[in-house]
Amino acid sequence: MTVFAAVVLFANAVFNVFAWPRFFSRVRADDRARDAAGRATPFLVVHAVLLGVALLLAVLSAIAGVLLLLL
């Protein structure tokens, strides 16, 4: 069961690392990302926070997966 949990954590980490940055590049290119003056809109800020949280979860998932396998 421990190996299964580690595999799920690694899969989560890989998904977050590959999916979110690709999604965020599309968000940055969206017309709603910047206002007329070129400043970031709440649309961009919220998605940037989501990206940061997803990448943090990826790191934590990878660490937890490694710890599960080592302990």
Side-chain angles (χ1 to χ4, degrees):
M1 189 64 153
T2 303
V3 173
F4 175 74
V7 168
V8 170
L9 288 166
F10 289 135
N12 174 59
V14 169
F15 174 81
N16 281 335
V17 167
F18 285 106
W20 275 95
R22 291 179 51 103
F23 173 71
F24 190 70
S25 66
R26 290 191 305 254
V27 168
R28 274 196 332 241
D30 194 299
D31 293 336
R32 298 172 288 178
R34 303 260 175 208
D35 62 12
R39 292 183 304 249
T41 63
F43 175 80
L44 181 62
V45 172
V46 165
H47 284 88
V49 169
L50 288 173
L51 171 68
V53 169
L55 293 178
L56 175 63
L57 287 174
V59 169
L60 294 176
S61 292
I63 291 170
V66 169
L67 290 176
L68 273 175
L69 292 176
L70 293 177
L71 299 177

